[in-house]
Amino acid sequence: MIFPNQQILDRVTEGDEAAFTQLRSYFHVPAFKFCSVLLKDETEAENVINSVFNKIWNERLDLRTEPNFQSYLFSSLKEQIFGEMKKYNEPAARKQYLERIQSFRAS
C-alpha cells in the first residue's frame, strides 16, 4: 500500500488540514467496514471513526514515530471499539445493545 506516504504524514504533523482530510478520506471506507462489522451499528461505527480521527489530529505529532499508519489506525479503532463494548457490561446496557444488533440484522 503506497498511501499514505511519509510526505502526507509529515504535512499532517505540521497541522495541514487538507492533508489530514486527504488521509481521513482515504481510510474512511475500510475503517467504516471494519467498525461496522465489529459493532453491528453504522451510527456507532461513524462515532468511533470520528473519535479516533479526532484523537489522531489532536495527537498528530505522535505520527512521526509511527512506522505504519494503517496498523496504528486500525489498532486505535479496535481499542476504541473495545472501550465502547465495555459500556455493555451492565445487564440493561447489554440488553439494549443486543436489541440494536437484532434490529440491525433485520434491516
Side-chain angles (χ1 to χ4, degrees):
M1 180 174 218
I2 296 172
F3 189 86
N5 61 31
Q6 193 58 47
Q7 181 184 21
I8 296 291
L9 292 175
D10 288 344
R11 287 176 43 209
V12 170
T13 62
E14 294 166 0
D16 184 333
E17 291 182 28
F20 180 72
T21 300
Q22 186 179 9
L23 184 72
R24 184 183 173 118
S25 295
Y26 182 80
F27 282 106
H28 186 267
V29 170
F32 182 77
K33 287 179 182 178
F34 177 76
C35 293
S36 294
V37 166
L38 292 176
L39 290 167
K40 310 291 189 244
D41 184 311
E42 293 179 352
T43 302
E44 280 298 312
E46 285 293 347
N47 291 339
V48 166
I49 292 167
N50 288 334
S51 178
V52 167
F53 272 101
N54 286 338
K55 180 182 176 190
I56 288 170
W57 177 254
N58 292 332
E59 299 174 3
R60 61 189 172 273
L61 293 176
D62 295 338
L63 290 178
R64 293 181 182 172
T65 61
E66 292 300 328
N68 185 331
F69 178 78
Q70 184 174 345
S71 293
Y72 172 72
L73 172 62
F74 282 90
S75 293
S76 297
L77 291 168
K78 183 179 72 172
E79 289 172 17
Q80 183 74 24
I81 288 168
F82 289 158
E84 292 295 315
M85 288 180 172
K86 285 182 185 178
K87 292 179 186 176
Y88 301 108
N89 286 337
E90 298 287 326
R94 187 179 312 120
K95 181 180 180 214
Q96 181 183 13
Y97 177 70
L98 291 174
E99 288 170 357
R100 255 191 9 220
I101 290 173
Q102 289 173 346
S103 69
F104 182 75
R105 288 182 183 162
S107 343

